[in-house]
Amino acid sequence: GIQVEQSPPDLILQEGANSTLRCNFSDSVNNLQWFHQNPWGQLINLFYIPSGTKQNGRLSATTVATERYSLLYISSSQTTDSGVYFCAVATNAGKSTFGDGTTLTVKP
Amino acid sequence: DTAVSQTPKYLVTQMGNDKSIKCEQNLGHDTMYWYKQDSKKFLKIMFSYNNKELIINETVPNRFSPKSPDKAHLNLHINSLELGDSAVYFCASSQRGGNEQFFGPGTRLTVL
């Protein structure tokens, strides 16, 4: 099956700092999503981004499908950004594979 | 106006019992999923249904039986619960497999 690797596994930032999270995947995919799991356990959709670049406020994401990676950028981080960020990829059969996540801690 | 809802939110039970978790989505999607998140936060797909038909069945013990009475509902029944079944179970839905998925709030199952 598809392998999904996220880096770094853990990240600690001061409020206001910027960061880049990476997701590498081992095969062609039809779908790539970024999720934020907040400290209450909710999985929040950030981006549906099989290819290209999208921006939503302080967050943006870029997927280069031909090179099998995606990046999530967080600018001017806030304490509410803390949590686990997951990348998930899916084939056209609909089977999703999640990465192990990046745990982000933003300190005030 | 919750998009994907699950009940119950918490479930505490004894080993050997049988329990069910219910999921409903009001997004009009035709595909629904069950995922398991273990204590290390790893998320893994268990099942997927498209229009009430099982299309993905990962290597899950047959004590787990999903049932989809219609395309808006996907329930998960677990027989003879074991300690290792303790986890958070998430339901999700999408329009056709492989498209953007939306997740429910999760059900935290604790087996004592």
Side-chain angles (χ1 to χ4, degrees), chain A residues 8 10 36 84:
Chain A
D10 299 282
H36 174 213
V84 184

Side-chain angles (χ1 to χ4, degrees), chain B residues 4 6 23 31-35 90-94 101-104:
Chain B
V4 183
Q6 295 179 228
C23 178
T31 303
M32 296 184 73
Y33 312 80
W34 278 111
Y35 287 84
F90 285 96
C91 175
S93 73
S94 69
Q101 294 186 28
F102 296 84
F103 280 75

Side-chain angles (χ1 to χ4, degrees), chain A residues 31 33 37 45 94-96, chain B residues 35 37 58 98-101:
Chain A
N31 171 14
Q33 286 186 253
Q37 187 166 38
N45 288 35
K95 180 183 171 184
S96 284
Chain B
Y35 287 84
Q37 186 172 41
E58 289 297 283
N99 289 327
E100 186 175 10
Q101 294 186 28

Side-chain angles (χ1 to χ4, degrees), chain A residues 64-100:
Chain A
V64 184
T66 52
E67 297 188 21
R68 299 179 186 166
Y69 74 88
S70 183
L71 302 173
L72 177 68
Y73 305 95
I74 305 174
S75 64
S76 304
S77 57
Q78 301 175 355
T79 56
T80 51
D81 294 332
S82 295
V84 184
Y85 289 79
F86 288 103
C87 166
V89 301
T91 64
N92 58 4
K95 180 183 171 184
S96 284
T97 301
F98 276 72
D100 291 347

Side-chain angles (χ1 to χ4, degrees), chain B residues 3-17:
Chain B
V4 183
S5 59
Q6 295 179 228
T7 53
K9 189 166 175 58
Y10 298 97
L11 190 50
V12 180
T13 189
Q14 299 288 331
M15 259 190 347
N17 284 350

Side-chain angles (χ1 to χ4, degrees), chain A residues 26-59:
Chain A
S26 61
D27 207 345
S28 300
V29 298
N30 277 40
N31 171 14
L32 187 144
Q33 286 186 253
W34 283 98
F35 295 91
H36 174 213
Q37 187 166 38
N38 64 21
W40 296 270
Q42 287 180 290
L43 278 164
I44 299 163
N45 288 35
L46 297 178
F47 295 101
Y48 170 70
I49 187 165
S51 63
T53 296
K54 290 186 177 180
Q55 178 151 10
N56 184 0
R58 296 181 296 103
L59 272 60

